[in-house]
Amino acid sequence: MEDNNFEKKPDDGFTQAGTSQNTQQNLAQMYSQSTENASGFAIAGMVCGILSIVCCCAWYISAILGILGLVFSIMVFVKNLPGKGLATAGVICAAIGLVLTIGLIIFGFAVNRGLSSMSPDELRSLIDSLESLD
């Protein structure tokens, strides 16, 4: 008579009984290992990079967060710490945040220079035309 309850063998990764429970345990173990392996520098780099994008309108905050995100993320690569995927995301996000910040600073200076070169009558005319758009 053939037995339907298979035992787990070293060369066989399948079992009949409890496969759903084993799969859930394996997924939970893989998730906990992936989050435990990430270093604090990788997580900090990614968080600072994301926040530098979110805060790009406040250039002084965004610039500091972008630089910190780059420093923390690069430390992961230099010291060969775990969490290289998070560190890569941190470098990308921090770079995007810094580019947005620099772009907005340049835009602000250009607008300021353009407005400061206008005469008071031209400025009043511009404001009146903008108010008439409502």
Side-chain angles (χ1 to χ4, degrees), residues 5-40:
N5 289 329
F6 301 110
E7 293 294 325
K8 188 171 183 176
K9 298 177 185 174
D11 60 336
D12 184 12
F14 300 98
T15 61
Q16 180 182 9
T19 51
S20 174
Q21 185 179 8
N22 289 341
T23 303
Q24 289 174 353
Q25 288 174 350
N26 289 340
L27 288 174
Q29 183 180 13
M30 286 174 22
Y31 176 75
S32 66
Q33 285 175 353
S34 68
T35 56
E36 287 176 5
N37 288 341
S39 71

Side-chain angles (χ1 to χ4, degrees), residues 9 18 27 31 33 36 42 45 52 57-59 63 67 71 74 76 84-85 104 133:
K9 298 177 185 174
L27 288 174
Y31 176 75
Q33 285 175 353
E36 287 176 5
S52 73
C57 290
W59 64 269
I67 291 168
V71 168
I74 290 172
V76 171
K84 294 199 185 333
L104 286 173
L133 292 177

Side-chain angles (χ1 to χ4, degrees), residues 114-129:
L115 290 177
S116 65
S117 67
M118 295 178 81
S119 69
D121 292 333
E122 291 173 330
L123 189 58
R124 174 54 40 204
S125 171
L126 177 65
I127 292 172
D128 290 339
S129 65

